[in-house]
Amino acid sequence: GELIEKLVDLSSAAALVESGMTVSVGGSLMHRSPLALVREVARAGAVGLTVVAAAGALGVDLLCASGAANKIIAGYAGLEGEFGLAPGFRKSVAEARVIFAENS
């Protein structure tokens, strides 16, 4: 059979994320995170996202700060040792705009 092209541009990939979905942000803290895609998802306007991450960092922070996320399921959400908790995440949880389900 013929191979089907599966590559799409960032905006097309981000458009697949709809409000209310559960999404996962890969990478490990400050390494190998799909930040270009996360930025596009935030720009695309999806809201009410549940975000799952083993150890969330900039991607989780951006989705919280932009108002896209309303629940984070993770073992940790921060910017590694010397930088502390992710500020957008921390503020969103403190203001009860985001629910944090710690899962270590």
Side-chain angles (χ1 to χ4, degrees):
E2 192 174 319
L3 292 178
I4 299 171
E5 182 64 47
K6 295 181 181 181
L7 296 177
V8 297
D9 60 42
L10 283 174
S11 60
S12 296
L16 297 172
V17 178
E18 299 173 0
S19 293
M21 284 184 150
T22 298
V23 298
S24 182
V25 177
S28 177
L29 295 173
M30 304 288 276
H31 309 282
R32 299 181 308 277
S33 295
L35 294 179
L37 179 59
V38 169
R39 281 191 301 270
E40 282 298 318
V41 169
R43 284 187 195 128
V47 295
L49 299 177
T50 296
V51 182
V52 180
L58 290 173
V60 167
D61 194 56
L62 180 60
L63 292 172
C64 288
S66 70
N70 74 347
K71 183 174 184 180
I72 305 297
I73 302 171
Y76 172 78
L79 305 178
E80 301 207 30
E82 64 266 16
F83 301 113
L85 292 177
F89 161 79
R90 191 170 101 187
K91 183 176 182 187
S92 296
V93 171
E95 294 175 354
R97 291 184 286 117
V98 170
I99 297 166
F100 178 50
E102 192 273 335
N103 191 15
S104 58

